[in-house]
């Protein structure tokens, strides 16, 4: 009897162990298929086409844009294609520019799960990277984004790093910033302006003078914000008017408020203001307002950062013909390398799948052009392999999937061109990138954390003086001394010492 009882216990124990073993095996499979891409049964390689071992996953892409009427149609079409390739669907989540900061900050602090978000040097990338919002990407890229380094090249990747680490991937687009103007083509033709010889701001003055004297209802220049672009084209700005001048061979920051070139430029802006060449809303107007005024026949020029074909792009989107003139050669800084990026969120449930999607944005023209332009036959028609136009009966005002911002995504060199654009646009982009001068500090990113309180005080001083300087409202020599004095009291010397220290430390890592 005792032996029989022992035998029963032994059988029960074996059964429990067998069940436990089965449970562990199922649990392991669920974990693998849920967050770790599996291997293709045929090839044994990860992330290849039609990989049946990948569990279904929805990728969420968050970016600044107005939601178009046909967003769902395009999203569905992209999802069909992605399901074939990496067994994934896509949720496109555009957020209005005006609401971007509030809504995305809420997403971040509430730990909302999402996969990819647009970011940039001017759009919180350094701050969010320091907070750990985005994952480090080198290992993920090496495993699931192997096409990306060959597409971007060393300079783009070098310029995108913060503290030597890669937290977001840049769009392959123009690698640098040109400076100039978009001009109303009707007025250029009317007065037979020769734009081919324009090389500097001074070369523009005769045109502005002509418009002012002969077109009383037309403003020669809309917006003073091009002064920011001018500074970016002549200095690699760090913080608090500390910058490395273009052409500098020494890794040393100068104070632009005491730099002769800077002072002379703002003297010129003051003269232009005195000439009555700026619009009445010069402190608040922007490039969009400038294009609207040109379209309404109320403005001649709006300053812009330029790239090849910028005039054709703006003519298409605005419905008014403009031409561009370049007043400075392109210049590349860390900010330009980080000008448009996508980062993988720390809340992503499948970072590997997000990287697979990124890899496709750089290497798969079909996917990129669905995101950029929508569905062939409905939102555009092909004129040739890489040239498109609106379908019959559709124009810029009636289109139902306007481009959300192709400059934000992947490899722009794979994006289709419109019928009004130069067929050699991407070749011209490459020439532009090749001739852009690289800053000696390309790849350096300043960490403001050690001086954040001083930076806040200095920002308040900037608000007091910056607007009047950039509008040309005052003679710069009358305010710069006061600006420098107040900035010093706000802790400028400590900030400069920290900049010098970090530059020296960064130089040792090069």
């Amino acid at each position: 009897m005792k032996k029989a009882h022992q035998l029963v216990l032994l059988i029960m124990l074996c059964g429990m162990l067998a069940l436990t073993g089965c449970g562990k095996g199922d649990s392991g499979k669920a974990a693998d298929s849920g967050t770790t891409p599996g291997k293709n049964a045929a090839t044994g390689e990860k992330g290849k086409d039609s990989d049946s071992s990948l569990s279904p996953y929805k990728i969420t892409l968050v970016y600044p844009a107005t939601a178009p009427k046909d967003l769902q149609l395009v999203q569905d079409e992209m999802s069909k294609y992605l399901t074939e390739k990496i067994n994934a669907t896509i949720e496109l989540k555009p957020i209005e520019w005006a609401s971007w900061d509030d809504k995305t900050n809420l997403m971040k602090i509430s730990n909302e799960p999402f996969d990819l978000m647009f970011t940039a040097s001017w759009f919180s990338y350094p701050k969010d990277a320091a907070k750990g919002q985005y994952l480090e990407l080198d290992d993920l890229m090496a495993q699931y984004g192997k096409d990306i380094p060959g597409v971007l090249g060393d300079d783009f990747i070098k310029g995108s790093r913060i503290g030597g680490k890669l937290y977001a991937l840049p769009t392959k687009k123009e690698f640098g910033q040109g400076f100039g103007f978009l001009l109303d083509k009707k007025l250029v033709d009317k007065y037979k302006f020769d734009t081919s010889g324009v090389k500097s701001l001074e070369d523009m003055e005769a045109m502005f003078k002509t418009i002012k004297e002969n077109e009383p209802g037309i403003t020669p220049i809309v917006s003073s914000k091009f002064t920011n672009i001018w500074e970016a084209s002549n200095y690699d700005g760090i913080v608090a008017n500390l910058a490395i001048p273009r052409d500098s061979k020494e890794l040393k920051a100068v104070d632009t408020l005491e730099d002769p070139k800077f002072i002379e430029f703002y003297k010129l802006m003051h003269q232009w203001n005195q000439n009555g060449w700026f619009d009445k809303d010069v402190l608040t107007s922007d490039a969009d307002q400038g294009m609207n005024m040109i379209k309404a026949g109320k403005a001649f020029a709006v300053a812009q950062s330029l790239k090849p074909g910028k005039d054709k792009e703006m003519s298409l989107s605005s419905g008014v013909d403009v031409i561009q003139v370049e007043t400075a050669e392109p210049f590349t800084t860390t900010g330009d390398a980080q000008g448009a990026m996508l980062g993988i969120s720390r809340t992503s449930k499948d970072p590997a799948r997000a990287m697979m999607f990124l890899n496709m944005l750089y290497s798969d023209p079909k996917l990129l052009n669905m995101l950029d332009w929508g569905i062939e036959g409905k939102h555009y028609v092909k004129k040739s392999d890489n040239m498109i136009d609106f379908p019959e009966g559709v124009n810029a005002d009636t289109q139902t999937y306007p481009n959300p911002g192709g400059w934000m995504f992947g490899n722009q060199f794979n994006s289709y061109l419109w019928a009004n654009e130069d067929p050699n646009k991407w070749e011209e982009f490459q020439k532009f990138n090749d001739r852009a001068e690289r800053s000696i500090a390309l790849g350096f990113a300043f960490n403001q954390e050690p001086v954040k309180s001083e930076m806040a005080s200095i920002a308040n001083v900037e608000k007091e003086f910056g607007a009047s300087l950039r509008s040309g409202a005052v003679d710069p020599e009358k305010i710069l001394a006061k600006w420098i004095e107040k900035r010093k009291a706000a802790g400028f010397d400590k900030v400069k010492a920290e900049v010098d220290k970090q530059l020296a430390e960064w130089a040792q890592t090069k």
Side-chain angles (χ1 to χ4, degrees), residues 305-353:
S305 59
L306 295 180
K307 57 187 178 181
K310 180 69 174 275
D311 50 354
K312 300 296 185 183
E313 289 182 14
M314 296 301 290
S315 295
L316 177 71
S317 62
S318 67
V320 59
D321 286 337
V322 291
I323 60 175
Q324 68 187 56
V325 290
E326 189 177 87
T327 57
E329 286 289 309
F331 181 46
T332 304
T333 68
T334 300
D336 297 309
Q338 300 175 2
M341 316 176 82
L342 290 175
I344 298 179
S345 172
R346 60 181 170 77
T347 62
S348 171
K349 301 298 185 183
D350 195 340
R353 202 78 62 94

Short mmCIF file of all heavy atoms in Angstrom, two decimals, residues 305-353:
data_model
loop_
_atom_site.label_atom_id
_atom_site.label_comp_id
_atom_site.label_asym_id
_atom_site.label_seq_id
_atom_site.Cartn_x
_atom_site.Cartn_y
_atom_site.Cartn_z
N SER A 305 16.44 79.69 -46.55
CA SER A 305 17.58 78.81 -46.71
C SER A 305 17.33 78.05 -47.99
O SER A 305 16.21 77.62 -48.26
CB SER A 305 17.70 77.86 -45.51
OG SER A 305 16.53 77.09 -45.37
N LEU A 306 18.36 77.90 -48.81
CA LEU A 306 18.17 77.38 -50.16
C LEU A 306 18.84 76.04 -50.38
O LEU A 306 19.78 75.66 -49.68
CB LEU A 306 18.72 78.39 -51.18
CG LEU A 306 18.01 79.74 -51.25
CD1 LEU A 306 18.66 80.62 -52.31
CD2 LEU A 306 16.52 79.58 -51.54
N LYS A 307 18.33 75.36 -51.39
CA LYS A 307 18.88 74.11 -51.89
C LYS A 307 18.52 74.06 -53.37
O LYS A 307 17.67 74.85 -53.83
CB LYS A 307 18.26 72.93 -51.14
CG LYS A 307 16.74 72.89 -51.24
CD LYS A 307 16.14 71.81 -50.36
CE LYS A 307 14.61 71.82 -50.44
NZ LYS A 307 14.00 70.80 -49.58
N PRO A 308 19.09 73.18 -54.14
CA PRO A 308 18.73 73.11 -55.56
C PRO A 308 17.25 72.82 -55.75
O PRO A 308 16.69 71.92 -55.11
CB PRO A 308 19.59 71.95 -56.07
CG PRO A 308 20.77 71.90 -55.16
CD PRO A 308 20.22 72.29 -53.81
N GLY A 309 16.59 73.61 -56.60
CA GLY A 309 15.19 73.38 -56.91
C GLY A 309 14.21 73.86 -55.87
O GLY A 309 13.02 73.57 -55.96
N LYS A 310 14.66 74.63 -54.89
CA LYS A 310 13.75 75.15 -53.86
C LYS A 310 12.66 76.01 -54.50
O LYS A 310 11.49 75.97 -54.08
CB LYS A 310 14.54 75.97 -52.84
CG LYS A 310 13.70 76.56 -51.69
CD LYS A 310 13.18 75.48 -50.76
CE LYS A 310 12.49 76.08 -49.54
NZ LYS A 310 13.41 76.43 -48.47
N ASP A 311 13.00 76.78 -55.52
CA ASP A 311 12.01 77.63 -56.17
C ASP A 311 10.92 76.81 -56.85
O ASP A 311 9.74 77.15 -56.79
CB ASP A 311 12.67 78.59 -57.17
CG ASP A 311 13.61 77.91 -58.14
OD1 ASP A 311 13.87 76.69 -58.02
OD2 ASP A 311 14.13 78.60 -59.04
N LYS A 312 11.29 75.68 -57.46
CA LYS A 312 10.29 74.83 -58.11
C LYS A 312 9.36 74.19 -57.08
O LYS A 312 8.15 74.10 -57.30
CB LYS A 312 10.97 73.75 -58.93
CG LYS A 312 11.88 74.27 -60.04
CD LYS A 312 11.10 75.03 -61.09
CE LYS A 312 12.00 75.44 -62.26
NZ LYS A 312 11.27 76.26 -63.26
N GLU A 313 9.93 73.75 -55.98
CA GLU A 313 9.11 73.16 -54.92
C GLU A 313 8.09 74.17 -54.39
O GLU A 313 6.90 73.86 -54.22
CB GLU A 313 9.99 72.70 -53.75
CG GLU A 313 10.84 71.48 -54.03
CD GLU A 313 11.65 71.07 -52.82
OE1 GLU A 313 11.36 71.56 -51.71
OE2 GLU A 313 12.58 70.25 -52.97
N MET A 314 8.57 75.40 -54.13
CA MET A 314 7.69 76.41 -53.57
C MET A 314 6.66 76.89 -54.60
O MET A 314 5.53 77.22 -54.24
CB MET A 314 8.52 77.59 -53.06
CG MET A 314 9.45 77.23 -51.91
SD MET A 314 8.60 76.55 -50.47
CE MET A 314 7.75 78.01 -49.87
N SER A 315 7.04 76.93 -55.86
CA SER A 315 6.08 77.30 -56.91
C SER A 315 4.95 76.29 -56.97
O SER A 315 3.77 76.65 -57.12
CB SER A 315 6.80 77.39 -58.28
OG SER A 315 7.75 78.42 -58.30
N LEU A 316 5.31 75.00 -56.85
CA LEU A 316 4.31 73.94 -56.90
C LEU A 316 3.36 74.01 -55.71
O LEU A 316 2.14 73.94 -55.86
CB LEU A 316 5.00 72.57 -56.92
CG LEU A 316 4.10 71.35 -56.91
CD1 LEU A 316 3.38 71.20 -58.24
CD2 LEU A 316 4.89 70.08 -56.59
N SER A 317 3.91 74.18 -54.52
CA SER A 317 3.07 74.14 -53.31
C SER A 317 2.25 75.41 -53.12
O SER A 317 1.16 75.37 -52.55
CB SER A 317 3.94 73.90 -52.07
OG SER A 317 4.85 74.95 -51.88
N SER A 318 2.75 76.55 -53.61
CA SER A 318 2.07 77.83 -53.37
C SER A 318 1.19 78.27 -54.53
O SER A 318 0.28 79.08 -54.35
CB SER A 318 3.10 78.92 -53.09
OG SER A 318 3.88 79.18 -54.25
N GLY A 319 1.48 77.78 -55.72
CA GLY A 319 0.70 78.18 -56.88
C GLY A 319 1.13 79.51 -57.47
O GLY A 319 0.38 80.10 -58.27
N VAL A 320 2.31 80.02 -57.12
CA VAL A 320 2.83 81.25 -57.72
C VAL A 320 4.28 81.00 -58.14
O VAL A 320 5.04 80.36 -57.41
CB VAL A 320 2.74 82.44 -56.72
CG1 VAL A 320 3.53 82.16 -55.44
CG2 VAL A 320 3.22 83.74 -57.36
N ASP A 321 4.64 81.50 -59.32
CA ASP A 321 5.99 81.26 -59.83
C ASP A 321 7.01 82.15 -59.13
O ASP A 321 6.87 83.38 -59.11
CB ASP A 321 6.05 81.53 -61.34
CG ASP A 321 5.38 80.44 -62.15
OD1 ASP A 321 5.26 79.31 -61.62
OD2 ASP A 321 4.97 80.69 -63.30
N VAL A 322 8.03 81.50 -58.56
CA VAL A 322 9.13 82.23 -57.94
C VAL A 322 10.45 81.67 -58.49
O VAL A 322 10.50 80.54 -58.98
CB VAL A 322 9.11 82.10 -56.40
CG1 VAL A 322 7.94 82.84 -55.80
CG2 VAL A 322 9.11 80.64 -55.96
N ILE A 323 11.49 82.48 -58.40
CA ILE A 323 12.82 82.02 -58.76
C ILE A 323 13.76 82.32 -57.60
O ILE A 323 13.51 83.23 -56.81
CB ILE A 323 13.35 82.67 -60.06
CG1 ILE A 323 13.40 84.19 -59.91
CG2 ILE A 323 12.48 82.29 -61.24
CD1 ILE A 323 14.03 84.89 -61.11
N GLN A 324 14.81 81.55 -57.47
CA GLN A 324 15.71 81.72 -56.33
C GLN A 324 17.04 82.33 -56.75
O GLN A 324 17.52 82.11 -57.87
CB GLN A 324 15.95 80.38 -55.63
CG GLN A 324 16.73 79.34 -56.40
CD GLN A 324 16.76 78.01 -55.67
OE1 GLN A 324 15.72 77.43 -55.34
NE2 GLN A 324 17.95 77.49 -55.42
N VAL A 325 17.61 83.10 -55.83
CA VAL A 325 18.96 83.64 -56.01
C VAL A 325 19.75 83.31 -54.75
O VAL A 325 19.25 83.45 -53.63
CB VAL A 325 18.95 85.16 -56.27
CG1 VAL A 325 18.38 85.47 -57.65
CG2 VAL A 325 18.18 85.92 -55.21
N GLU A 326 20.96 82.88 -54.93
CA GLU A 326 21.81 82.44 -53.82
C GLU A 326 22.82 83.53 -53.50
O GLU A 326 23.57 83.98 -54.37
CB GLU A 326 22.53 81.15 -54.21
CG GLU A 326 23.27 80.47 -53.08
CD GLU A 326 23.90 79.16 -53.53
OE1 GLU A 326 25.05 79.20 -54.03
OE2 GLU A 326 23.26 78.10 -53.39
N THR A 327 22.83 83.97 -52.24
CA THR A 327 23.75 85.04 -51.85
C THR A 327 24.87 84.54 -50.94
O THR A 327 25.65 85.34 -50.43
CB THR A 327 22.99 86.17 -51.13
OG1 THR A 327 22.30 85.64 -50.01
CG2 THR A 327 21.99 86.83 -52.09
N ALA A 328 24.96 83.23 -50.73
CA ALA A 328 26.08 82.66 -49.97
C ALA A 328 26.24 81.20 -50.37
O ALA A 328 25.25 80.50 -50.61
CB ALA A 328 25.84 82.78 -48.47
N GLU A 329 27.46 80.74 -50.42
CA GLU A 329 27.74 79.34 -50.71
C GLU A 329 27.24 78.48 -49.54
O GLU A 329 27.20 78.93 -48.40
CB GLU A 329 29.24 79.13 -50.90
CG GLU A 329 29.78 79.66 -52.21
CD GLU A 329 29.33 78.84 -53.40
OE1 GLU A 329 29.49 77.60 -53.36
OE2 GLU A 329 28.77 79.42 -54.34
N PRO A 330 26.85 77.23 -49.81
CA PRO A 330 26.34 76.38 -48.73
C PRO A 330 27.41 76.08 -47.67
O PRO A 330 28.60 76.00 -47.97
CB PRO A 330 25.92 75.09 -49.45
CG PRO A 330 26.64 75.11 -50.75
CD PRO A 330 26.82 76.55 -51.11
N PHE A 331 26.93 75.92 -46.44
CA PHE A 331 27.79 75.70 -45.29
C PHE A 331 27.14 74.62 -44.44
O PHE A 331 25.93 74.62 -44.22
CB PHE A 331 27.92 77.01 -44.50
CG PHE A 331 28.80 76.95 -43.28
CD1 PHE A 331 30.05 76.36 -43.34
CD2 PHE A 331 28.40 77.51 -42.08
CE1 PHE A 331 30.88 76.31 -42.22
CE2 PHE A 331 29.22 77.48 -40.96
CZ PHE A 331 30.46 76.88 -41.04
N THR A 332 27.94 73.67 -43.96
CA THR A 332 27.41 72.53 -43.20
C THR A 332 27.89 72.56 -41.77
O THR A 332 29.10 72.58 -41.51
CB THR A 332 27.84 71.20 -43.84
OG1 THR A 332 27.44 71.18 -45.21
CG2 THR A 332 27.22 70.03 -43.11
N THR A 333 26.94 72.54 -40.85
CA THR A 333 27.24 72.47 -39.42
C THR A 333 26.55 71.24 -38.83
O THR A 333 25.78 70.55 -39.52
CB THR A 333 26.74 73.73 -38.69
OG1 THR A 333 25.31 73.73 -38.72
CG2 THR A 333 27.26 74.99 -39.35
N THR A 334 26.78 70.99 -37.57
CA THR A 334 26.08 69.89 -36.90
C THR A 334 24.57 70.07 -37.00
O THR A 334 23.83 69.11 -37.19
CB THR A 334 26.51 69.81 -35.42
OG1 THR A 334 27.92 69.60 -35.36
CG2 THR A 334 25.80 68.69 -34.70
N GLY A 335 24.12 71.31 -36.88
CA GLY A 335 22.69 71.58 -36.98
C GLY A 335 22.12 71.19 -38.33
O GLY A 335 20.97 70.76 -38.41
N ASP A 336 22.90 71.30 -39.40
CA ASP A 336 22.42 70.90 -40.72
C ASP A 336 22.35 69.39 -40.84
O ASP A 336 21.42 68.84 -41.43
CB ASP A 336 23.34 71.47 -41.80
CG ASP A 336 23.34 72.98 -41.82
OD1 ASP A 336 22.24 73.56 -41.87
OD2 ASP A 336 24.42 73.59 -41.79
N ALA A 337 23.35 68.70 -40.30
CA ALA A 337 23.32 67.24 -40.31
C ALA A 337 22.13 66.72 -39.53
O ALA A 337 21.54 65.69 -39.86
CB ALA A 337 24.62 66.68 -39.73
N GLN A 338 21.75 67.46 -38.48
CA GLN A 338 20.63 67.05 -37.62
C GLN A 338 19.36 67.82 -37.95
O GLN A 338 18.46 67.93 -37.13
CB GLN A 338 21.01 67.28 -36.15
CG GLN A 338 22.22 66.50 -35.69
CD GLN A 338 22.65 66.83 -34.27
OE1 GLN A 338 22.02 67.64 -33.59
NE2 GLN A 338 23.75 66.23 -33.83
N GLY A 339 19.26 68.31 -39.18
CA GLY A 339 18.15 69.18 -39.54
C GLY A 339 16.81 68.50 -39.69
O GLY A 339 15.76 69.14 -39.61
N ALA A 340 16.80 67.19 -39.93
CA ALA A 340 15.55 66.41 -40.03
C ALA A 340 15.90 64.97 -39.73
O ALA A 340 16.70 64.36 -40.44
CB ALA A 340 14.94 66.55 -41.42
N MET A 341 15.28 64.40 -38.71
CA MET A 341 15.68 63.07 -38.24
C MET A 341 14.46 62.28 -37.75
O MET A 341 13.41 62.86 -37.44
CB MET A 341 16.68 63.19 -37.08
CG MET A 341 17.76 64.22 -37.28
SD MET A 341 18.84 64.39 -35.84
CE MET A 341 19.97 63.03 -36.13
N LEU A 342 14.63 60.97 -37.66
CA LEU A 342 13.64 60.11 -37.02
C LEU A 342 14.34 59.32 -35.92
O LEU A 342 15.39 58.70 -36.16
CB LEU A 342 13.01 59.15 -38.02
CG LEU A 342 12.07 59.76 -39.06
CD1 LEU A 342 11.61 58.71 -40.06
CD2 LEU A 342 10.86 60.42 -38.40
N GLY A 343 13.78 59.36 -34.72
CA GLY A 343 14.32 58.60 -33.60
C GLY A 343 13.37 57.50 -33.18
O GLY A 343 12.15 57.61 -33.37
N ILE A 344 13.90 56.41 -32.65
CA ILE A 344 13.09 55.32 -32.13
C ILE A 344 12.86 55.56 -30.64
O ILE A 344 13.80 55.68 -29.86
CB ILE A 344 13.77 53.96 -32.35
CG1 ILE A 344 13.96 53.69 -33.85
CG2 ILE A 344 12.95 52.84 -31.73
CD1 ILE A 344 14.65 52.38 -34.17
N SER A 345 11.60 55.62 -30.25
CA SER A 345 11.24 55.94 -28.87
C SER A 345 11.64 54.82 -27.91
O SER A 345 11.60 53.63 -28.25
CB SER A 345 9.73 56.16 -28.77
OG SER A 345 9.33 56.29 -27.42
N ARG A 346 11.99 55.21 -26.70
CA ARG A 346 12.28 54.24 -25.65
C ARG A 346 11.04 53.44 -25.29
O ARG A 346 11.13 52.37 -24.67
CB ARG A 346 12.79 54.95 -24.40
CG ARG A 346 11.81 55.96 -23.82
CD ARG A 346 12.35 56.67 -22.59
NE ARG A 346 11.50 57.77 -22.18
CZ ARG A 346 10.35 57.64 -21.53
NH1 ARG A 346 9.91 56.44 -21.22
NH2 ARG A 346 9.63 58.70 -21.21
N THR A 347 9.83 53.91 -25.69
CA THR A 347 8.59 53.19 -25.41
C THR A 347 8.17 52.25 -26.53
O THR A 347 7.11 51.63 -26.45
CB THR A 347 7.44 54.18 -25.13
OG1 THR A 347 7.21 54.97 -26.31
CG2 THR A 347 7.75 55.09 -23.96
N SER A 348 8.99 52.15 -27.58
CA SER A 348 8.68 51.23 -28.68
C SER A 348 8.62 49.80 -28.17
O SER A 348 9.49 49.36 -27.42
CB SER A 348 9.73 51.35 -29.78
OG SER A 348 9.55 50.33 -30.75
N LYS A 349 7.62 49.05 -28.60
CA LYS A 349 7.48 47.64 -28.20
C LYS A 349 8.31 46.71 -29.08
O LYS A 349 8.49 45.54 -28.74
CB LYS A 349 6.00 47.21 -28.28
CG LYS A 349 5.06 48.02 -27.41
CD LYS A 349 5.41 47.89 -25.92
CE LYS A 349 4.39 48.63 -25.05
NZ LYS A 349 4.75 48.58 -23.62
N ASP A 350 8.79 47.22 -30.21
CA ASP A 350 9.61 46.39 -31.10
C ASP A 350 10.60 47.29 -31.85
O ASP A 350 10.41 47.61 -33.02
CB ASP A 350 8.74 45.63 -32.09
CG ASP A 350 9.49 44.50 -32.80
OD1 ASP A 350 10.73 44.55 -32.81
OD2 ASP A 350 8.84 43.58 -33.32
N PRO A 351 11.67 47.74 -31.17
CA PRO A 351 12.65 48.63 -31.82
C PRO A 351 13.28 48.03 -33.07
O PRO A 351 13.60 48.76 -34.02
CB PRO A 351 13.70 48.83 -30.72
CG PRO A 351 12.99 48.57 -29.44
CD PRO A 351 11.99 47.49 -29.76
N ALA A 352 13.44 46.70 -33.09
CA ALA A 352 14.03 46.06 -34.27
C ALA A 352 13.14 46.24 -35.49
O ALA A 352 13.61 46.53 -36.59
CB ALA A 352 14.26 44.58 -34.00
N ARG A 353 11.82 46.10 -35.31
CA ARG A 353 10.90 46.29 -36.43
C ARG A 353 10.88 47.75 -36.87
O ARG A 353 10.78 48.04 -38.06
CB ARG A 353 9.48 45.84 -36.04
CG ARG A 353 8.60 45.48 -37.24
CD ARG A 353 8.95 44.11 -37.76
NE ARG A 353 8.69 43.13 -36.72
CZ ARG A 353 7.55 42.46 -36.59
NH1 ARG A 353 6.58 42.61 -37.46
NH2 ARG A 353 7.42 41.58 -35.61
#
